Amino acid sequence: MIHHELRRKLESRVLPHVQTPAQYVGGERNIIVKDHRKLRGKIAVGFPDAYTIGMSHHGLQVLYSMINRRDDWCAERVFMPWPDMEAKLREHNLPLYTLETFTPLNEFDVIGLSLQYEISSPNVLTMVDLGGIPLDAVDRTMADPLLVAGGPCCQNPEPMADVFDVMVTGDGEPALPEVCELWLSLREEARLPDGTFVTGEEGRKQREDALARVAQQLAFAYVPRFYEPQYSDNNRIGSIVRTRDDVPETIAPSVISDLDGMPLPTEPIVPYVNCVHDRIAIEIMRGCPHLCRFCQSTVIKRPLRIREVDTIVDAALESYRSTGFNEISILSLSSSDYPHFAELVKRLHEVFVPLDVNISVPSLRVNDQLRTLPELL
């Protein structure tokens, strides 16, 4: 279900006047477009940075394909527009929209944004504002989408606590569907007989009670409005005080126990424009065996989990057939620590060299594997 009127306005008033308009029109190979009238729920999965950065993020492709495997939900993409595009949207009073159906953000049930680095925080504010959603979480009612954050920055949630309704800790694959389903049921409970929602102070209170139920039922969901940091004399957080007694004191991360059983996105979207990573990415391992104390990732990605060699090679070959990319990158915190590293690289070499496809092996630790890597490649 395409929003044709918004699309027509964009094509006539906006896109001819911005740089690289291809990043704003959707329609790429392997995108998934569904009829909203036949769905139970809709989520916009976004990355608070430019299209060329967000489309290079493997996690977005994972969540996009995972949600869209379901018949009753759709996932659509949204990214931060460049300043010229933002100015044109504001000039013509047009909302930020998703690339699949040109649907404004405020028409979705859930909006999920990935917080990978702190400097993307101002972009979050711009996207929420352009999407027609109140910036402060406490000003929203059940008529507004649920704003969810995930990613490493959720380990230090307070800088963005006023903006997000829920911040998810741990693995997103098992957590996001649970958040979506619970919020959809809470929204349906709150809906009036005519299909609308209560507004004003009563509507805000109703949303607060719904978010309390999210915090109570989902152990990995941090709802910032219910936790107040207490600062010490040196401006560090000394403690966190709950503002409601019925929400949990501690938050436990969401964890995938069987990474090998979690499907990989084997039909990734092929962008129209050059992106930072124009290649297929295959996650081979999550976590790291070394547990270095200075590394945040090794702490938040525990425990160590791997995918089997056959799973990786089959997914890489299927991804190549559906995209035509000429490079495959194996992805992990420390690829050379993958326990079957030599076998994996040898198998990938055997399969893809005849197809003129390069194998990229980033994230290498200086260890014995480096001695054999030139031979293997």
Side-chain angles (χ1 to χ4, degrees):
M1 187 181 74
I2 307 294
H3 279 239
H4 293 288
E5 182 63 21
L6 175 56
R7 184 175 182 175
R8 183 187 62 77
K9 291 179 180 178
L10 289 165
E11 291 175 348
S12 60
R13 305 176 188 177
V14 175
L15 297 180
H17 307 289
V18 299
Q19 296 184 46
T20 321
Q23 64 186 312
Y24 304 120
V25 298
E28 307 100 316
R29 179 178 176 85
N30 293 335
I31 69 165
I32 299 171
V33 179
K34 297 183 179 182
D35 187 341
H36 291 182
R37 294 167 294 187
K38 299 178 180 179
L39 302 172
R40 291 180 55 245
K42 309 182 294 294
I43 178 173
V45 291
F47 197 89
D49 211 323
Y51 175 93
T52 53
I53 305 292
M55 283 302 297
S56 303
H57 179 51
H58 179 66
L60 184 136
Q61 300 266 13
V62 169
L63 297 176
Y64 180 87
S65 63
M66 179 190 71
I67 296 294
N68 278 318
R69 288 191 196 100
R70 301 180 50 158
D71 295 330
D72 56 346
W73 274 81
C74 73
E76 302 186 4
R77 297 162 298 142
V78 62
F79 303 101
M80 173 69 188
W82 282 93
D84 58 347
M85 180 65 170
E86 178 191 348
K88 284 295 177 182
L89 290 175
R90 295 190 186 280
E91 177 185 341
H92 297 286
N93 197 28
L94 299 176
L96 187 61
Y97 56 91
T98 55
L99 297 181
E100 277 68 20
T101 60
F102 294 85
T103 301
L105 288 191
N106 59 10
E107 295 185 16
F108 283 83
D109 298 296
V110 179
I111 298 171
L113 298 180
S114 181
L115 303 182
Q116 293 294 312
Y117 34 84
E118 290 86 348
I119 58 173
S120 67
S121 298
N123 292 342
V124 171
L125 305 181
T126 302
M127 292 176 71
V128 172
D129 185 44
L130 283 174
I133 302 162
L135 274 177
D136 287 333
V138 294
D139 292 334
R140 299 173 197 146
T141 68
M142 294 301 287
D144 297 302
L146 181 75
L147 197 60
V148 182
C153 289
C154 289
Q155 301 302 313
N156 180 28
E158 290 311 312
M160 298 298 291
D162 292 340
V163 180
F164 284 100
D165 297 304
V166 177
M167 305 183 90
V168 171
T169 57
D171 298 322
E173 294 96 328
L176 188 59
E178 287 192 55
V179 172
C180 290
E181 280 299 323
L182 178 56
W183 185 250
L184 193 65
S185 65
L186 293 172
R187 269 197 120 191
E188 290 307 310
E189 287 181 20
R191 199 180 295 274
L192 297 173
D194 62 357
T196 61
F197 295 95
V198 176
T199 59
E201 185 61 33
E202 184 181 350
R204 290 189 286 272
K205 179 63 169 63
Q206 186 183 53
R207 186 181 181 96
E208 180 176 321
D209 292 339
L211 287 170
R213 292 173 62 181
V214 172
Q216 293 159 5
Q217 297 183 38
L218 303 179
F220 52 78
Y222 177 66
V223 182
R225 69 169 68 196
F226 300 137
Y227 301 85
E228 189 68 36
Q230 305 296 311
Y231 293 91
S232 58
D233 293 338
N234 60 2
N235 290 325
R236 294 187 177 186
I237 295 179
S239 62
I240 302 285
V241 178
R242 290 177 295 164
T243 60
R244 290 179 62 131
D245 293 333
D246 56 352
V247 297
E249 289 188 55
T250 58
I251 311 298
S254 167
V255 177
I256 296 173
S257 57
D258 179 18
L259 184 66
D260 192 58
M262 186 63 62
L264 282 159
T266 53
E267 294 185 5
I269 298 169
V270 183
Y272 278 146
V273 301
N274 288 332
C275 291
V276 174
H277 294 159
D278 273 327
R279 62 195 185 198
I280 296 165
I282 303 290
E283 186 185 29
I284 64 172
M285 180 172 70
R286 192 171 297 182
C288 178
H290 294 282
L291 305 180
C292 302
R293 302 288 289 209
F294 60 80
C295 177
Q296 183 199 47
S297 292
T298 193
V299 174
I300 66 177
K301 297 296 184 182
R302 293 175 183 173
L304 178 67
R305 293 145 291 170
I306 68 168
R307 284 192 166 97
E308 298 300 326
V309 172
D310 287 341
T311 303
I312 297 166
V313 174
D314 292 345
L317 186 58
E318 189 176 344
S319 298
Y320 165 72
R321 289 170 175 163
S322 65
T323 63
F325 278 118
N326 65 353
E327 183 177 340
I328 292 174
S329 174
I330 57 177
L331 179 67
S332 72
L333 288 175
S334 178
S335 296
S336 56
D337 287 315
Y338 177 71
H340 314 300
F341 181 77
E343 179 189 355
L344 173 62
V345 176
K346 182 180 179 182
R347 288 277 306 280
L348 289 172
H349 185 273
E350 292 171 350
V351 172
F352 290 103
V353 166
L355 299 174
D356 292 326
V357 175
N358 297 321
I359 308 299
S360 172
V361 188
S363 302
L364 294 176
R365 186 184 297 273
V366 180
N367 59 15
D368 289 342
Q369 299 282 18
L370 289 185
R371 296 181 183 181
T372 58
L373 186 60
E375 292 181 27
L376 294 171
L377 291 176

